[in-house]
Amino acid sequence: MDGATESESDCRLDRWLWAARFFKTRALAKAAIVGGKVQLNGTRAKPAKTVQPRDVLEIRRGEERFEVVVEQVGTRRVSAELALKMYSEIPESVSRREVLAEQRRLRRLQKTGPDRRPDKRDRRALRRFRGR
């Protein structure tokens, strides 16, 4: 019997993050864990740490921050619909992410930029203006 096989009741943290679709690859999940972007039950964890049901994970991915409770442990990557059943997000986390998303949307609307890309004439004028 191979010692590398795992039971369905426990799973590596990097593999669970990949299976639950928080990261596209296990390598990205591992890099996030090693970089301190993932905490397991309030402490920093290693990629091989075992995840069990009712564990609390804090996951930072860019500007987004998720706080989730592990509901199911699975080592296989499943569809997005099934992946949502593997965890439940804490309500405060959901509301905080929605507020931040709204703030990002408003910032994007406030930015004023050109309506189009500069054409040849505009590029020449820019070069003259910059002194090139």
Side-chain angles (χ1 to χ4, degrees), residues 70-87:
V70 176
E71 299 292 334
Q72 296 176 7
V73 177
T75 57
R76 301 186 74 196
R77 191 165 170 98
V78 293
S79 69
E81 295 168 0
L82 293 175
L84 288 173
K85 295 179 182 176
M86 294 178 69
Y87 62 91

Side-chain angles (χ1 to χ4, degrees), residues 32-126:
I33 296 166
V34 170
K37 306 285 189 214
V38 178
Q39 290 190 345
L40 176 66
N41 296 325
T43 60
R44 196 167 172 169
K46 293 184 178 181
K49 181 73 175 161
T50 302
V51 177
Q52 297 171 346
R54 294 182 301 283
D55 280 346
V56 178
L57 293 171
E58 183 180 321
I59 305 159
R60 289 185 311 236
R61 194 177 61 188
E63 290 184 20
E64 294 181 313
R65 202 170 121 208
F66 299 89
E67 287 184 50
V68 297
V69 177
V70 176
E71 299 292 334
Q72 296 176 7
V73 177
T75 57
R76 301 186 74 196
R77 191 165 170 98
V78 293
S79 69
E81 295 168 0
L82 293 175
L84 288 173
K85 295 179 182 176
M86 294 178 69
Y87 62 91
S88 61
E89 192 169 0
I90 296 172
E92 294 84 27
S93 173
V94 174
S95 61
R96 183 174 47 241
R97 281 190 317 107
E98 288 173 351
V99 167
L100 290 174
E102 182 66 19
Q103 288 175 352
R104 282 193 307 268
R105 188 183 71 80
L106 291 174
R107 274 197 312 253
R108 210 173 31 249
L109 291 175
Q110 288 177 347
K111 283 186 179 177
T112 57
D115 296 333
R116 60 182 174 74
R117 292 181 57 168
D119 58 10
K120 188 173 186 177
R121 181 178 176 203
D122 295 333
R123 286 193 304 272
R124 285 180 179 165
L126 283 170

Side-chain angles (χ1 to χ4, degrees), residues 15-31:
R15 192 163 185 179
W16 187 88
L17 289 169
W18 167 76
R21 295 183 168 263
F22 281 101
F23 296 97
K24 263 188 166 174
T25 64
R26 279 183 65 188
L28 289 173
K30 180 181 177 183

